[in-house]
Amino acid sequence: MSPKVGAAPVRREQIIQATIRCLAREGYSGLRTKEVAREAGVSQGILHYYFDNKRSILLAALEKVMAALDRRLAPLLAGAADARAQLRAVITSCLGLASDNREFWLVFVEVWGEMMHDQELAQINAALYRRLRRMLGAVVARGVRAGLFRRVDPAEAGSVILALVDGLSLQRTFDPRALTLQRATHVCEEAVIRYLETK
């Protein structure tokens, strides 16, 4: 059974959003296409029209959260006055995701678990992290050129910053009481600036 003309993007989006909610609630091992269809308010026939299997739904959910991250970061990078302000904006925004949209991080956790046994998922995740490291590295390089930061390898700096942001975000996802958002943001910013500041 095919969907009505014009309804395809809406239906697909409903299914992806339902998948993200189900992943956050049940995990990938507990994800059932029947439950996703129910959550999305569509029949299983409609769900299978768009997605062949559970894995293809996981890939679509991953693409969705990756695109959401890009949309969140792009205006922050464009609107900040200098490299230091860009890094602060990225750190604040990324750490805020653990509070604003806990499901975002839970999708990544599920993908990380599955990618240990799935080469395609591992490649998609690696490509995302390369892109994030390049983006952060470009900000650092801008700061180095402006004399705000010491000379440092941009790729290495991107890895360090990403590790700090990911680590604190995951702690806040698993246990929001571990650090307040304000404290986590301050600690992360301070660690990054100390790492990058001129000697």
Side-chain angles (χ1 to χ4, degrees), residues 97-133:
L97 270 175
S99 300
D100 301 343
N101 190 353
R102 187 171 179 266
E103 293 171 347
F104 173 95
W105 282 106
L106 292 175
V107 168
F108 272 111
V109 170
E110 293 301 323
V111 167
W112 291 334
E114 289 302 307
M115 77 178 186
M116 304 308 290
H117 313 286
D118 187 316
Q119 189 61 33
E120 184 181 3
L121 278 177
Q123 288 172 352
I124 290 169
N125 188 72
L128 168 65
Y129 269 74
R130 279 194 300 273
R131 194 166 81 244
L132 290 172
R133 285 192 299 270

PDB file of all heavy atoms in Angstrom, residues 97-133:
ATOM      1  N   LEU A  97      22.033  20.387  24.616  1.00  0.00           N
ATOM      2  CA  LEU A  97      21.251  19.316  24.002  1.00  0.00           C
ATOM      3  C   LEU A  97      20.880  18.229  25.003  1.00  0.00           C
ATOM      4  O   LEU A  97      19.812  17.623  24.905  1.00  0.00           O
ATOM      5  CB  LEU A  97      22.039  18.673  22.850  1.00  0.00           C
ATOM      6  CG  LEU A  97      21.853  19.272  21.469  1.00  0.00           C
ATOM      7  CD1 LEU A  97      22.791  18.601  20.492  1.00  0.00           C
ATOM      8  CD2 LEU A  97      20.427  19.170  21.001  1.00  0.00           C
ATOM      9  N   ALA A  98      21.769  17.970  25.940  1.00  0.00           N
ATOM     10  CA  ALA A  98      21.494  16.929  26.944  1.00  0.00           C
ATOM     11  C   ALA A  98      20.299  17.311  27.810  1.00  0.00           C
ATOM     12  O   ALA A  98      19.629  16.440  28.367  1.00  0.00           O
ATOM     13  CB  ALA A  98      22.723  16.681  27.816  1.00  0.00           C
ATOM     14  N   SER A  99      20.042  18.624  27.920  1.00  0.00           N
ATOM     15  CA  SER A  99      18.876  19.087  28.670  1.00  0.00           C
ATOM     16  C   SER A  99      17.676  19.292  27.763  1.00  0.00           C
ATOM     17  O   SER A  99      16.559  18.884  28.075  1.00  0.00           O
ATOM     18  CB  SER A  99      19.195  20.418  29.369  1.00  0.00           C
ATOM     19  OG  SER A  99      20.259  20.267  30.265  1.00  0.00           O
ATOM     20  N   ASP A 100      17.920  19.932  26.608  1.00  0.00           N
ATOM     21  CA  ASP A 100      16.829  20.271  25.692  1.00  0.00           C
ATOM     22  C   ASP A 100      16.245  19.053  24.989  1.00  0.00           C
ATOM     23  O   ASP A 100      15.048  19.009  24.710  1.00  0.00           O
ATOM     24  CB  ASP A 100      17.315  21.240  24.605  1.00  0.00           C
ATOM     25  CG  ASP A 100      17.858  22.530  25.169  1.00  0.00           C
ATOM     26  OD1 ASP A 100      17.574  22.824  26.349  1.00  0.00           O
ATOM     27  OD2 ASP A 100      18.579  23.242  24.447  1.00  0.00           O
ATOM     28  N   ASN A 101      17.115  18.108  24.652  1.00  0.00           N
ATOM     29  CA  ASN A 101      16.670  16.981  23.833  1.00  0.00           C
ATOM     30  C   ASN A 101      17.491  15.742  24.191  1.00  0.00           C
ATOM     31  O   ASN A 101      18.391  15.339  23.465  1.00  0.00           O
ATOM     32  CB  ASN A 101      16.823  17.324  22.353  1.00  0.00           C
ATOM     33  CG  ASN A 101      16.168  16.305  21.451  1.00  0.00           C
ATOM     34  OD1 ASN A 101      15.703  15.263  21.907  1.00  0.00           O
ATOM     35  ND2 ASN A 101      16.134  16.588  20.177  1.00  0.00           N
ATOM     36  N   ARG A 102      17.151  15.153  25.311  1.00  0.00           N
ATOM     37  CA  ARG A 102      17.875  13.970  25.796  1.00  0.00           C
ATOM     38  C   ARG A 102      17.835  12.832  24.776  1.00  0.00           C
ATOM     39  O   ARG A 102      18.775  12.043  24.670  1.00  0.00           O
ATOM     40  CB  ARG A 102      17.239  13.524  27.117  1.00  0.00           C
ATOM     41  CG  ARG A 102      17.976  12.412  27.824  1.00  0.00           C
ATOM     42  CD  ARG A 102      17.393  12.202  29.228  1.00  0.00           C
ATOM     43  NE  ARG A 102      18.063  11.127  29.901  1.00  0.00           N
ATOM     44  CZ  ARG A 102      17.621   9.858  29.897  1.00  0.00           C
ATOM     45  NH1 ARG A 102      16.502   9.556  29.277  1.00  0.00           N
ATOM     46  NH2 ARG A 102      18.298   8.921  30.532  1.00  0.00           N
ATOM     47  N   GLU A 103      16.741  12.744  24.002  1.00  0.00           N
ATOM     48  CA  GLU A 103      16.598  11.688  22.998  1.00  0.00           C
ATOM     49  C   GLU A 103      17.720  11.749  21.968  1.00  0.00           C
ATOM     50  O   GLU A 103      18.135  10.716  21.439  1.00  0.00           O
ATOM     51  CB  GLU A 103      15.241  11.804  22.304  1.00  0.00           C
ATOM     52  CG  GLU A 103      14.069  11.504  23.213  1.00  0.00           C
ATOM     53  CD  GLU A 103      12.732  11.825  22.581  1.00  0.00           C
ATOM     54  OE1 GLU A 103      12.695  12.509  21.527  1.00  0.00           O
ATOM     55  OE2 GLU A 103      11.702  11.400  23.135  1.00  0.00           O
ATOM     56  N   PHE A 104      18.200  12.961  21.657  1.00  0.00           N
ATOM     57  CA  PHE A 104      19.288  13.131  20.694  1.00  0.00           C
ATOM     58  C   PHE A 104      20.489  12.274  21.082  1.00  0.00           C
ATOM     59  O   PHE A 104      21.019  11.505  20.286  1.00  0.00           O
ATOM     60  CB  PHE A 104      19.673  14.614  20.648  1.00  0.00           C
ATOM     61  CG  PHE A 104      20.892  14.917  19.826  1.00  0.00           C
ATOM     62  CD1 PHE A 104      20.780  15.297  18.504  1.00  0.00           C
ATOM     63  CD2 PHE A 104      22.175  14.842  20.381  1.00  0.00           C
ATOM     64  CE1 PHE A 104      21.903  15.589  17.753  1.00  0.00           C
ATOM     65  CE2 PHE A 104      23.305  15.126  19.630  1.00  0.00           C
ATOM     66  CZ  PHE A 104      23.159  15.500  18.316  1.00  0.00           C
ATOM     67  N   TRP A 105      20.925  12.410  22.347  1.00  0.00           N
ATOM     68  CA  TRP A 105      22.097  11.668  22.790  1.00  0.00           C
ATOM     69  C   TRP A 105      21.812  10.180  22.907  1.00  0.00           C
ATOM     70  O   TRP A 105      22.690   9.346  22.649  1.00  0.00           O
ATOM     71  CB  TRP A 105      22.611  12.220  24.121  1.00  0.00           C
ATOM     72  CG  TRP A 105      23.389  13.469  23.916  1.00  0.00           C
ATOM     73  CD1 TRP A 105      22.999  14.744  24.191  1.00  0.00           C
ATOM     74  CD2 TRP A 105      24.688  13.570  23.334  1.00  0.00           C
ATOM     75  NE1 TRP A 105      23.983  15.633  23.825  1.00  0.00           N
ATOM     76  CE2 TRP A 105      25.031  14.944  23.297  1.00  0.00           C
ATOM     77  CE3 TRP A 105      25.603  12.640  22.855  1.00  0.00           C
ATOM     78  CZ2 TRP A 105      26.249  15.403  22.797  1.00  0.00           C
ATOM     79  CZ3 TRP A 105      26.815  13.090  22.359  1.00  0.00           C
ATOM     80  CH2 TRP A 105      27.123  14.446  22.331  1.00  0.00           C
ATOM     81  N   LEU A 106      20.588   9.827  23.272  1.00  0.00           N
ATOM     82  CA  LEU A 106      20.261   8.409  23.395  1.00  0.00           C
ATOM     83  C   LEU A 106      20.311   7.706  22.045  1.00  0.00           C
ATOM     84  O   LEU A 106      20.686   6.534  21.960  1.00  0.00           O
ATOM     85  CB  LEU A 106      18.892   8.237  24.055  1.00  0.00           C
ATOM     86  CG  LEU A 106      18.863   8.674  25.531  1.00  0.00           C
ATOM     87  CD1 LEU A 106      17.443   8.579  26.085  1.00  0.00           C
ATOM     88  CD2 LEU A 106      19.823   7.850  26.373  1.00  0.00           C
ATOM     89  N   VAL A 107      19.945   8.411  20.968  1.00  0.00           N
ATOM     90  CA  VAL A 107      20.086   7.821  19.629  1.00  0.00           C
ATOM     91  C   VAL A 107      21.559   7.529  19.357  1.00  0.00           C
ATOM     92  O   VAL A 107      21.913   6.449  18.883  1.00  0.00           O
ATOM     93  CB  VAL A 107      19.498   8.749  18.542  1.00  0.00           C
ATOM     94  CG1 VAL A 107      19.896   8.276  17.146  1.00  0.00           C
ATOM     95  CG2 VAL A 107      17.980   8.813  18.658  1.00  0.00           C
ATOM     96  N   PHE A 108      22.440   8.480  19.685  1.00  0.00           N
ATOM     97  CA  PHE A 108      23.863   8.246  19.470  1.00  0.00           C
ATOM     98  C   PHE A 108      24.377   7.078  20.298  1.00  0.00           C
ATOM     99  O   PHE A 108      25.174   6.266  19.825  1.00  0.00           O
ATOM    100  CB  PHE A 108      24.675   9.508  19.777  1.00  0.00           C
ATOM    101  CG  PHE A 108      24.815  10.415  18.594  1.00  0.00           C
ATOM    102  CD1 PHE A 108      24.180  11.634  18.581  1.00  0.00           C
ATOM    103  CD2 PHE A 108      25.564  10.036  17.495  1.00  0.00           C
ATOM    104  CE1 PHE A 108      24.295  12.476  17.485  1.00  0.00           C
ATOM    105  CE2 PHE A 108      25.693  10.866  16.392  1.00  0.00           C
ATOM    106  CZ  PHE A 108      25.048  12.093  16.392  1.00  0.00           C
ATOM    107  N   VAL A 109      23.943   6.975  21.530  1.00  0.00           N
ATOM    108  CA  VAL A 109      24.372   5.860  22.378  1.00  0.00           C
ATOM    109  C   VAL A 109      23.991   4.530  21.736  1.00  0.00           C
ATOM    110  O   VAL A 109      24.784   3.579  21.699  1.00  0.00           O
ATOM    111  CB  VAL A 109      23.784   5.990  23.798  1.00  0.00           C
ATOM    112  CG1 VAL A 109      24.015   4.721  24.602  1.00  0.00           C
ATOM    113  CG2 VAL A 109      24.389   7.184  24.522  1.00  0.00           C
ATOM    114  N   GLU A 110      22.773   4.455  21.220  1.00  0.00           N
ATOM    115  CA  GLU A 110      22.316   3.226  20.571  1.00  0.00           C
ATOM    116  C   GLU A 110      23.140   2.934  19.309  1.00  0.00           C
ATOM    117  O   GLU A 110      23.508   1.787  19.048  1.00  0.00           O
ATOM    118  CB  GLU A 110      20.827   3.315  20.221  1.00  0.00           C
ATOM    119  CG  GLU A 110      19.916   3.351  21.431  1.00  0.00           C
ATOM    120  CD  GLU A 110      20.063   2.137  22.330  1.00  0.00           C
ATOM    121  OE1 GLU A 110      20.270   1.015  21.816  1.00  0.00           O
ATOM    122  OE2 GLU A 110      19.990   2.299  23.562  1.00  0.00           O
ATOM    123  N   VAL A 111      23.432   3.974  18.544  1.00  0.00           N
ATOM    124  CA  VAL A 111      24.238   3.792  17.330  1.00  0.00           C
ATOM    125  C   VAL A 111      25.640   3.331  17.690  1.00  0.00           C
ATOM    126  O   VAL A 111      26.188   2.424  17.058  1.00  0.00           O
ATOM    127  CB  VAL A 111      24.293   5.100  16.508  1.00  0.00           C
ATOM    128  CG1 VAL A 111      25.360   5.035  15.426  1.00  0.00           C
ATOM    129  CG2 VAL A 111      22.930   5.386  15.890  1.00  0.00           C
ATOM    130  N   TRP A 112      26.222   3.942  18.723  1.00  0.00           N
ATOM    131  CA  TRP A 112      27.573   3.537  19.122  1.00  0.00           C
ATOM    132  C   TRP A 112      27.615   2.066  19.529  1.00  0.00           C
ATOM    133  O   TRP A 112      28.578   1.370  19.236  1.00  0.00           O
ATOM    134  CB  TRP A 112      28.069   4.416  20.269  1.00  0.00           C
ATOM    135  CG  TRP A 112      28.330   5.835  19.861  1.00  0.00           C
ATOM    136  CD1 TRP A 112      28.649   6.290  18.603  1.00  0.00           C
ATOM    137  CD2 TRP A 112      28.295   6.985  20.696  1.00  0.00           C
ATOM    138  NE1 TRP A 112      28.797   7.651  18.615  1.00  0.00           N
ATOM    139  CE2 TRP A 112      28.598   8.107  19.880  1.00  0.00           C
ATOM    140  CE3 TRP A 112      28.037   7.189  22.044  1.00  0.00           C
ATOM    141  CZ2 TRP A 112      28.639   9.403  20.380  1.00  0.00           C
ATOM    142  CZ3 TRP A 112      28.090   8.482  22.549  1.00  0.00           C
ATOM    143  CH2 TRP A 112      28.392   9.570  21.720  1.00  0.00           C
ATOM    144  N   GLY A 113      26.576   1.599  20.202  1.00  0.00           N
ATOM    145  CA  GLY A 113      26.529   0.191  20.571  1.00  0.00           C
ATOM    146  C   GLY A 113      26.445  -0.718  19.360  1.00  0.00           C
ATOM    147  O   GLY A 113      27.137  -1.744  19.280  1.00  0.00           O
ATOM    148  N   GLU A 114      25.620  -0.342  18.394  1.00  0.00           N
ATOM    149  CA  GLU A 114      25.430  -1.169  17.195  1.00  0.00           C
ATOM    150  C   GLU A 114      26.606  -1.114  16.243  1.00  0.00           C
ATOM    151  O   GLU A 114      26.908  -2.086  15.559  1.00  0.00           O
ATOM    152  CB  GLU A 114      24.150  -0.745  16.455  1.00  0.00           C
ATOM    153  CG  GLU A 114      22.869  -1.118  17.158  1.00  0.00           C
ATOM    154  CD  GLU A 114      22.773  -2.618  17.409  1.00  0.00           C
ATOM    155  OE1 GLU A 114      22.932  -3.401  16.449  1.00  0.00           O
ATOM    156  OE2 GLU A 114      22.569  -2.996  18.567  1.00  0.00           O
ATOM    157  N   MET A 115      27.303   0.035  16.197  1.00  0.00           N
ATOM    158  CA  MET A 115      28.362   0.180  15.198  1.00  0.00           C
ATOM    159  C   MET A 115      29.561  -0.716  15.495  1.00  0.00           C
ATOM    160  O   MET A 115      30.383  -0.960  14.609  1.00  0.00           O
ATOM    161  CB  MET A 115      28.797   1.640  15.078  1.00  0.00           C
ATOM    162  CG  MET A 115      29.691   2.132  16.169  1.00  0.00           C
ATOM    163  SD  MET A 115      30.169   3.844  15.868  1.00  0.00           S
ATOM    164  CE  MET A 115      31.354   4.050  17.208  1.00  0.00           C
ATOM    165  N   MET A 116      29.649  -1.221  16.719  1.00  0.00           N
ATOM    166  CA  MET A 116      30.731  -2.146  17.027  1.00  0.00           C
ATOM    167  C   MET A 116      30.621  -3.436  16.213  1.00  0.00           C
ATOM    168  O   MET A 116      31.591  -4.170  16.054  1.00  0.00           O
ATOM    169  CB  MET A 116      30.743  -2.474  18.526  1.00  0.00           C
ATOM    170  CG  MET A 116      30.844  -1.248  19.428  1.00  0.00           C
ATOM    171  SD  MET A 116      32.210  -0.140  19.008  1.00  0.00           S
ATOM    172  CE  MET A 116      33.609  -1.141  19.511  1.00  0.00           C
ATOM    173  N   HIS A 117      29.412  -3.684  15.690  1.00  0.00           N
ATOM    174  CA  HIS A 117      29.175  -4.912  14.915  1.00  0.00           C
ATOM    175  C   HIS A 117      28.641  -4.601  13.514  1.00  0.00           C
ATOM    176  O   HIS A 117      28.185  -5.505  12.817  1.00  0.00           O
ATOM    177  CB  HIS A 117      28.158  -5.797  15.650  1.00  0.00           C
ATOM    178  CG  HIS A 117      28.464  -5.949  17.101  1.00  0.00           C
ATOM    179  ND1 HIS A 117      29.492  -6.731  17.564  1.00  0.00           N
ATOM    180  CD2 HIS A 117      27.911  -5.380  18.199  1.00  0.00           C
ATOM    181  CE1 HIS A 117      29.543  -6.651  18.890  1.00  0.00           C
ATOM    182  NE2 HIS A 117      28.605  -5.837  19.292  1.00  0.00           N
ATOM    183  N   ASP A 118      28.665  -3.334  13.120  1.00  0.00           N
ATOM    184  CA  ASP A 118      28.078  -2.930  11.841  1.00  0.00           C
ATOM    185  C   ASP A 118      29.012  -1.932  11.171  1.00  0.00           C
ATOM    186  O   ASP A 118      29.108  -0.782  11.599  1.00  0.00           O
ATOM    187  CB  ASP A 118      26.697  -2.310  12.094  1.00  0.00           C
ATOM    188  CG  ASP A 118      25.938  -2.005  10.817  1.00  0.00           C
ATOM    189  OD1 ASP A 118      26.541  -1.461   9.867  1.00  0.00           O
ATOM    190  OD2 ASP A 118      24.724  -2.279  10.779  1.00  0.00           O
ATOM    191  N   GLN A 119      29.683  -2.370  10.118  1.00  0.00           N
ATOM    192  CA  GLN A 119      30.696  -1.552   9.453  1.00  0.00           C
ATOM    193  C   GLN A 119      30.109  -0.283   8.850  1.00  0.00           C
ATOM    194  O   GLN A 119      30.722   0.793   8.912  1.00  0.00           O
ATOM    195  CB  GLN A 119      31.396  -2.370   8.360  1.00  0.00           C
ATOM    196  CG  GLN A 119      32.608  -1.692   7.752  1.00  0.00           C
ATOM    197  CD  GLN A 119      33.710  -1.413   8.769  1.00  0.00           C
ATOM    198  OE1 GLN A 119      33.918  -2.163   9.711  1.00  0.00           O
ATOM    199  NE2 GLN A 119      34.419  -0.305   8.590  1.00  0.00           N
ATOM    200  N   GLU A 120      28.918  -0.365   8.276  1.00  0.00           N
ATOM    201  CA  GLU A 120      28.318   0.825   7.656  1.00  0.00           C
ATOM    202  C   GLU A 120      28.006   1.893   8.712  1.00  0.00           C
ATOM    203  O   GLU A 120      28.284   3.077   8.513  1.00  0.00           O
ATOM    204  CB  GLU A 120      27.045   0.466   6.890  1.00  0.00           C
ATOM    205  CG  GLU A 120      26.461   1.667   6.144  1.00  0.00           C
ATOM    206  CD  GLU A 120      25.188   1.352   5.396  1.00  0.00           C
ATOM    207  OE1 GLU A 120      24.693   0.214   5.482  1.00  0.00           O
ATOM    208  OE2 GLU A 120      24.673   2.272   4.734  1.00  0.00           O
ATOM    209  N   LEU A 121      27.432   1.478   9.823  1.00  0.00           N
ATOM    210  CA  LEU A 121      27.162   2.431  10.904  1.00  0.00           C
ATOM    211  C   LEU A 121      28.459   3.043  11.423  1.00  0.00           C
ATOM    212  O   LEU A 121      28.519   4.244  11.702  1.00  0.00           O
ATOM    213  CB  LEU A 121      26.434   1.743  12.059  1.00  0.00           C
ATOM    214  CG  LEU A 121      24.921   1.568  11.942  1.00  0.00           C
ATOM    215  CD1 LEU A 121      24.396   0.807  13.150  1.00  0.00           C
ATOM    216  CD2 LEU A 121      24.226   2.910  11.818  1.00  0.00           C
ATOM    217  N   ALA A 122      29.496   2.234  11.545  1.00  0.00           N
ATOM    218  CA  ALA A 122      30.794   2.728  12.012  1.00  0.00           C
ATOM    219  C   ALA A 122      31.343   3.778  11.049  1.00  0.00           C
ATOM    220  O   ALA A 122      31.885   4.801  11.479  1.00  0.00           O
ATOM    221  CB  ALA A 122      31.786   1.585  12.162  1.00  0.00           C
ATOM    222  N   GLN A 123      31.187   3.553   9.753  1.00  0.00           N
ATOM    223  CA  GLN A 123      31.680   4.506   8.755  1.00  0.00           C
ATOM    224  C   GLN A 123      30.897   5.805   8.798  1.00  0.00           C
ATOM    225  O   GLN A 123      31.470   6.896   8.679  1.00  0.00           O
ATOM    226  CB  GLN A 123      31.609   3.883   7.359  1.00  0.00           C
ATOM    227  CG  GLN A 123      32.641   2.798   7.145  1.00  0.00           C
ATOM    228  CD  GLN A 123      32.445   2.051   5.832  1.00  0.00           C
ATOM    229  OE1 GLN A 123      31.456   2.244   5.132  1.00  0.00           O
ATOM    230  NE2 GLN A 123      33.393   1.193   5.505  1.00  0.00           N
ATOM    231  N   ILE A 124      29.574   5.718   8.977  1.00  0.00           N
ATOM    232  CA  ILE A 124      28.740   6.923   9.063  1.00  0.00           C
ATOM    233  C   ILE A 124      29.128   7.731  10.294  1.00  0.00           C
ATOM    234  O   ILE A 124      29.278   8.953  10.236  1.00  0.00           O
ATOM    235  CB  ILE A 124      27.245   6.547   9.101  1.00  0.00           C
ATOM    236  CG1 ILE A 124      26.813   5.993   7.731  1.00  0.00           C
ATOM    237  CG2 ILE A 124      26.376   7.743   9.479  1.00  0.00           C
ATOM    238  CD1 ILE A 124      25.448   5.344   7.731  1.00  0.00           C
ATOM    239  N   ASN A 125      29.300   7.069  11.422  1.00  0.00           N
ATOM    240  CA  ASN A 125      29.685   7.755  12.652  1.00  0.00           C
ATOM    241  C   ASN A 125      31.074   8.377  12.514  1.00  0.00           C
ATOM    242  O   ASN A 125      31.307   9.515  12.946  1.00  0.00           O
ATOM    243  CB  ASN A 125      29.654   6.781  13.826  1.00  0.00           C
ATOM    244  CG  ASN A 125      29.844   7.487  15.154  1.00  0.00           C
ATOM    245  OD1 ASN A 125      28.967   8.181  15.634  1.00  0.00           O
ATOM    246  ND2 ASN A 125      31.019   7.318  15.739  1.00  0.00           N
ATOM    247  N   ALA A 126      32.002   7.647  11.894  1.00  0.00           N
ATOM    248  CA  ALA A 126      33.363   8.167  11.703  1.00  0.00           C
ATOM    249  C   ALA A 126      33.340   9.412  10.818  1.00  0.00           C
ATOM    250  O   ALA A 126      34.059  10.382  11.082  1.00  0.00           O
ATOM    251  CB  ALA A 126      34.260   7.092  11.090  1.00  0.00           C
ATOM    252  N   ALA A 127      32.504   9.394   9.772  1.00  0.00           N
ATOM    253  CA  ALA A 127      32.394  10.557   8.878  1.00  0.00           C
ATOM    254  C   ALA A 127      31.848  11.766   9.634  1.00  0.00           C
ATOM    255  O   ALA A 127      32.310  12.901   9.447  1.00  0.00           O
ATOM    256  CB  ALA A 127      31.512  10.225   7.682  1.00  0.00           C
ATOM    257  N   LEU A 128      30.858  11.533  10.489  1.00  0.00           N
ATOM    258  CA  LEU A 128      30.296  12.622  11.289  1.00  0.00           C
ATOM    259  C   LEU A 128      31.371  13.217  12.194  1.00  0.00           C
ATOM    260  O   LEU A 128      31.528  14.444  12.266  1.00  0.00           O
ATOM    261  CB  LEU A 128      29.129  12.115  12.142  1.00  0.00           C
ATOM    262  CG  LEU A 128      28.647  13.087  13.230  1.00  0.00           C
ATOM    263  CD1 LEU A 128      28.051  14.346  12.612  1.00  0.00           C
ATOM    264  CD2 LEU A 128      27.657  12.408  14.159  1.00  0.00           C
ATOM    265  N   TYR A 129      32.138  12.370  12.859  1.00  0.00           N
ATOM    266  CA  TYR A 129      33.156  12.861  13.781  1.00  0.00           C
ATOM    267  C   TYR A 129      34.305  13.558  13.049  1.00  0.00           C
ATOM    268  O   TYR A 129      34.861  14.526  13.555  1.00  0.00           O
ATOM    269  CB  TYR A 129      33.642  11.730  14.696  1.00  0.00           C
ATOM    270  CG  TYR A 129      32.816  11.684  15.943  1.00  0.00           C
ATOM    271  CD1 TYR A 129      31.519  11.185  15.920  1.00  0.00           C
ATOM    272  CD2 TYR A 129      33.286  12.206  17.133  1.00  0.00           C
ATOM    273  CE1 TYR A 129      30.721  11.190  17.042  1.00  0.00           C
ATOM    274  CE2 TYR A 129      32.507  12.219  18.273  1.00  0.00           C
ATOM    275  CZ  TYR A 129      31.217  11.712  18.221  1.00  0.00           C
ATOM    276  OH  TYR A 129      30.431  11.731  19.346  1.00  0.00           O
ATOM    277  N   ARG A 130      34.622  13.093  11.850  1.00  0.00           N
ATOM    278  CA  ARG A 130      35.632  13.809  11.051  1.00  0.00           C
ATOM    279  C   ARG A 130      35.140  15.219  10.730  1.00  0.00           C
ATOM    280  O   ARG A 130      35.901  16.187  10.815  1.00  0.00           O
ATOM    281  CB  ARG A 130      35.936  13.052   9.752  1.00  0.00           C
ATOM    282  CG  ARG A 130      36.911  11.896   9.918  1.00  0.00           C
ATOM    283  CD  ARG A 130      37.432  11.397   8.585  1.00  0.00           C
ATOM    284  NE  ARG A 130      36.377  10.917   7.706  1.00  0.00           N
ATOM    285  CZ  ARG A 130      35.903   9.669   7.713  1.00  0.00           C
ATOM    286  NH1 ARG A 130      36.405   8.775   8.557  1.00  0.00           N
ATOM    287  NH2 ARG A 130      34.947   9.311   6.879  1.00  0.00           N
ATOM    288  N   ARG A 131      33.872  15.313  10.355  1.00  0.00           N
ATOM    289  CA  ARG A 131      33.290  16.612  10.028  1.00  0.00           C
ATOM    290  C   ARG A 131      33.299  17.545  11.246  1.00  0.00           C
ATOM    291  O   ARG A 131      33.642  18.716  11.139  1.00  0.00           O
ATOM    292  CB  ARG A 131      31.866  16.431   9.489  1.00  0.00           C
ATOM    293  CG  ARG A 131      31.326  17.672   8.828  1.00  0.00           C
ATOM    294  CD  ARG A 131      30.084  17.394   8.023  1.00  0.00           C
ATOM    295  NE  ARG A 131      28.901  17.334   8.858  1.00  0.00           N
ATOM    296  CZ  ARG A 131      28.152  16.260   9.040  1.00  0.00           C
ATOM    297  NH1 ARG A 131      28.461  15.122   8.447  1.00  0.00           N
ATOM    298  NH2 ARG A 131      27.080  16.297   9.797  1.00  0.00           N
ATOM    299  N   LEU A 132      32.917  17.014  12.404  1.00  0.00           N
ATOM    300  CA  LEU A 132      32.903  17.831  13.622  1.00  0.00           C
ATOM    301  C   LEU A 132      34.314  18.268  14.012  1.00  0.00           C
ATOM    302  O   LEU A 132      34.524  19.414  14.424  1.00  0.00           O
ATOM    303  CB  LEU A 132      32.244  17.054  14.759  1.00  0.00           C
ATOM    304  CG  LEU A 132      30.737  16.828  14.630  1.00  0.00           C
ATOM    305  CD1 LEU A 132      30.244  15.876  15.707  1.00  0.00           C
ATOM    306  CD2 LEU A 132      29.966  18.138  14.676  1.00  0.00           C
ATOM    307  N   ARG A 133      35.280  17.358  13.886  1.00  0.00           N
ATOM    308  CA  ARG A 133      36.668  17.719  14.210  1.00  0.00           C
ATOM    309  C   ARG A 133      37.187  18.805  13.265  1.00  0.00           C
ATOM    310  O   ARG A 133      37.882  19.726  13.689  1.00  0.00           O
ATOM    311  CB  ARG A 133      37.573  16.484  14.151  1.00  0.00           C
ATOM    312  CG  ARG A 133      37.407  15.544  15.331  1.00  0.00           C
ATOM    313  CD  ARG A 133      38.509  14.519  15.381  1.00  0.00           C
ATOM    314  NE  ARG A 133      38.562  13.664  14.207  1.00  0.00           N
ATOM    315  CZ  ARG A 133      37.903  12.510  14.083  1.00  0.00           C
ATOM    316  NH1 ARG A 133      37.144  12.058  15.068  1.00  0.00           N
ATOM    317  NH2 ARG A 133      38.019  11.783  12.996  1.00  0.00           N
TER     318      ARG A 133
END
